[in-house]
Amino acid sequence: MGHHRKALRTTAAGAVSATLIAGSALGLAPTAQAATGIRFVDITGDGGAVLKANVITPAGADGTRRHPLLVLPTSWGLPQVEYLAQAQKLANSGYIVVSYNVRGFWQSGGEIEVAGPPDIADASRVIDWALANTPADAQHIGMAGVSYGAGISLLAAAHDKRVKAVASLSGWADLIDSIYSGRTQHVQAAGLLDGASLVTGRQSAELRQIFDNFYASNLAKEPEIVAWGKKRSAATYVDQLNKNDTAVMLANAWGDTIFPPNQYTDFYEKLTGPKRLEMRPGDHATAEVTGLFGLPNDVWTDTERWFDHYLQGEDNGIDRERPVRLKSRSSGGYEGYPDWKSVGATRKKIALAGTTTIRANVDSGANGGVVFLSSILDQVAQLPPVASIPLLPRRWTAVWQSGKYATAQRVRGTAKMHTTLTPTKESGTLVAYLYDVGPLGLGKLVSNAPYTFHGQTPGKPFDVDLELFSTAYDVPAGHRLALVVDTVDPLYVEHNPTGAQLTFSSPANDPSCVSIPVREQ
């Protein structure tokens, strides 16, 4: 537990600094526009909690006609001025925009509920207030947000059929699959959220207990944690969204260390109404951040186009574009696909042959990087985490490589690992990494994912099927792909007892492999 607490403190310090810097900057950026009809108001939320909000109306709005309404809940830890620059742009396009500080943060009342029932009720109360106090059109209502605001927007739309369109930017559809994927605690992600909320908000007793049980790896509390997370996941209510025929736009980054992309892509496939999925390089909310300062930004441009079509009826062609839009981490252009299944239509397998035993409890040097920092470096400079594959200590790592590729391999989608694992202990953790390996053996991280098991019989083999985090990455001609597996990564909590060993094998009747999705040449 000691190293987990240390990681938490370090991550929390970074999170708090980033939050306060961003909040201050966002508070200063839009002040020059303060004379354009911004009103700061108090809205009574669920249970009487006062929500601090701001309202921007279109120029010349005099109540003689109704305008479409957009409701923007704030991100985790950010103040109510977060969206002012974008709200002004949207108001200039004819929208009434109400942005509010979610309960438990900054000056808003109540406690942090993590998109629980009070948060969902708050969103409906904000809509009620806007319909009663502004010339908002009850038939044309949308919600949007970044991160926490994105998750709340999706959940609110599922519960309030008045919401006709949603733009969920860098959010989550499945909270458990986001920070507990592979049955493994994403400790840096949780630490960032925990630290930011301790400084900028007021945690509920329930939330504090959830965090404490999460860090403590208390298996007796696992069902309770999962149930808590599922209640706060739009994936649980996807049938309601489909019944409401809500137009849903999802945008995320390949390297999002808070809400990895897989949970969004799985959710996207289950939607049956109008939908759009956009994936870009970056980490959590980094693709949207320039737009929050009013600068040109692809995500916010498409968000406005989405609402223009589904709330204002504008024939801007967004409904006729290929709905899945991807930007590779290696090249500059966007690619369009008819659906997510078409992204990695072709699969190539790398055999995980032979029998390999590794020892646990040591970080081999292969890891997923540092929350935020690593994926931002990849976004702006194409510098993902690296490792020298020949120098990785084989005592603690298993390594399999492809042959050299004669042509570039455009990896698109979700790589899947299948293997047979024999442990020496009943619990354990492994982390799989996919690397692009150059001629000198230097590997650039393409993807990774953790996997934890409990209750296995020592010495008895069992199957492991693991989906790595979805990505879009171009492997140059002359390079190889390597799958590396070890047992320790600073991003995750590991559950390997002292002295544990893991043996990977490939039975003839069930060969082990990693399946790589590639775009057709």
Side-chain angles (χ1 to χ4, degrees):
M1 271 290 290
H3 65 287
H4 298 157
R5 293 186 184 278
K6 182 177 179 181
L8 170 60
R9 288 196 298 269
T10 303
T11 304
V16 169
S17 300
T19 298
L20 295 179
I21 290 169
S24 300
L26 291 171
L28 292 172
T31 53
Q33 302 170 340
T36 58
I38 299 173
R39 288 191 293 142
F40 291 89
V41 301
D42 290 347
I43 299 175
T44 302
D46 186 60
V50 175
L51 307 175
K52 297 295 182 177
N54 55 70
V55 184
I56 304 181
T57 55
D62 56 8
T64 58
R65 72 181 186 90
R66 297 288 171 179
H67 299 267
L69 169 66
L70 291 178
V71 175
L72 311 178
T74 53
S75 301
W76 186 273
L78 288 185
Q80 61 165 308
V81 296
E82 176 185 4
Y83 300 116
L84 280 185
Q86 283 301 321
Q88 183 64 60
K89 288 186 176 184
L90 291 164
N92 291 341
S93 297
Y95 297 94
I96 290 172
V97 185
V98 180
S99 175
Y100 70 97
N101 227 133
V102 292
R103 66 170 50 230
F105 284 103
W106 295 85
Q107 289 83 22
S108 283
E111 296 178 323
I112 302 169
E113 301 286 348
V114 194
D119 289 301
I120 308 312
D122 284 347
S124 292
R125 293 290 182 89
V126 172
I127 292 172
D128 293 341
W129 183 93
L131 294 177
N133 293 278
T134 73
D137 185 349
Q139 303 304 312
H140 297 88
I141 298 173
M143 290 190 67
V146 176
S147 184
Y148 194 38
I152 289 175
S153 293
L154 275 180
L155 285 159
H159 288 84
D160 192 331
K161 63 182 180 182
R162 294 177 297 180
V163 180
K164 305 300 182 185
V166 171
S168 182
L169 315 178
S170 289
W172 77 92
D174 189 325
L175 192 56
I176 294 302
D177 199 33
S178 295
I179 62 173
Y180 194 53
S181 71
R183 210 177 175 188
T184 309
Q185 297 98 320
H186 297 206
V187 68
Q188 287 192 14
L192 188 150
L193 297 172
D194 189 7
S197 65
L198 286 171
V199 172
T200 63
R202 299 168 301 282
Q203 295 182 355
S204 66
E206 179 187 36
L207 174 57
R208 185 66 261 157
Q209 191 61 58
I210 289 291
F211 273 129
D212 290 344
N213 290 338
F214 185 84
Y215 297 136
S217 304
N218 188 343
L219 287 179
K221 296 293 185 180
E222 185 180 48
E224 179 182 320
I225 293 173
V226 171
W228 177 88
K230 293 299 183 183
K231 190 174 184 178
R232 291 160 169 79
S233 299
T236 303
Y237 312 102
V238 67
D239 290 344
Q240 291 174 225
L241 277 169
N242 291 336
K243 182 179 179 181
N244 295 343
D245 199 35
T246 312
V248 177
M249 173 180 156
L250 306 171
N252 203 1
W254 296 119
D256 195 321
T257 44
I258 308 296
F259 305 128
N262 299 45
Q263 46 93 30
Y264 248 18
T265 58
D266 291 346
F267 178 69
Y268 175 83
E269 287 291 277
K270 297 174 183 176
L271 293 169
T272 59
K275 58 183 179 178
R276 183 178 179 91
L277 175 67
E278 300 186 354
M279 304 295 294
R280 299 173 174 85
D283 205 310
H284 183 64
T286 61
E288 296 88 2
V289 70
T290 56
L292 295 178
F293 290 93
L295 300 174
N297 181 279
D298 291 352
V299 187
W300 285 103
T301 295
D302 285 347
T303 294
E304 184 170 346
R305 292 177 63 224
W306 189 251
F307 288 132
D308 286 347
H309 179 74
Y310 286 102
L311 296 183
Q312 301 216 56
E314 183 178 316
D315 186 13
N316 56 18
I318 197 167
D319 58 317
R320 295 188 295 275
E321 296 173 359
R322 288 191 167 189
V324 176
R325 284 173 54 82
L326 312 182
K327 192 172 185 179
S328 169
R329 293 161 49 202
S330 311
S331 56
Y334 283 96
E335 304 167 0
Y337 299 85
D339 50 42
W340 177 249
K341 294 177 182 177
S342 302
V343 170
T346 302
R347 286 193 167 268
K348 296 186 176 181
K349 293 183 178 181
I350 300 173
L352 309 182
T355 299
T356 303
T357 297
I358 63 173
R359 291 165 174 79
N361 310 116
V362 172
D363 186 346
S364 69
N367 62 64
V370 178
V371 64
F372 274 132
L373 177 61
S374 298
S375 291
I376 291 175
L377 284 174
D378 187 36
Q379 178 183 0
V380 301
Q382 294 185 7
L383 293 174
V386 298
S388 175
I389 305 305
L391 296 181
L392 289 174
R394 294 326 196 244
R395 182 182 180 87
W396 295 292
T397 52
V399 179
W400 300 269
Q401 296 191 73
S402 71
K404 290 183 179 179
Y405 293 110
T407 59
Q409 303 296 301
R410 292 183 287 183
V411 178
R412 299 291 186 273
T414 309
K416 300 178 181 180
M417 181 183 80
H418 171 76
T419 190
T420 297
L421 175 63
T422 305
T424 59
K425 307 289 185 180
E426 67 173 16
S427 295
T429 297
L430 63 89
V431 185
Y433 309 89
L434 187 66
Y435 282 101
D436 161 24
V437 185
L440 299 180
L442 186 66
K444 294 183 177 181
L445 187 66
V446 177
S447 184
N448 78 97
Y451 178 90
T452 293
F453 60 89
H454 297 289
Q456 295 295 331
T457 302
K460 182 178 179 180
F462 65 95
D463 290 342
V464 170
D465 289 287
L466 175 63
E467 290 190 350
L468 278 64
F469 299 138
S470 303
T471 194
Y473 182 97
D474 299 335
V475 179
H479 285 213
R480 307 171 186 265
L481 281 171
L483 185 78
V484 174
V485 178
D486 72 1
T487 61
V488 177
D489 190 303
L491 287 173
Y492 313 113
V493 172
E494 52 96 4
H495 298 263
N496 297 295
T498 301
Q501 297 183 25
L502 304 178
T503 297
F504 302 91
S505 59
S506 182
N509 62 345
D510 185 21
S512 298
C513 70
V514 59
S515 172
I516 311 295
V518 294
R519 183 183 178 189
E520 294 181 357
Q521 302 297 324

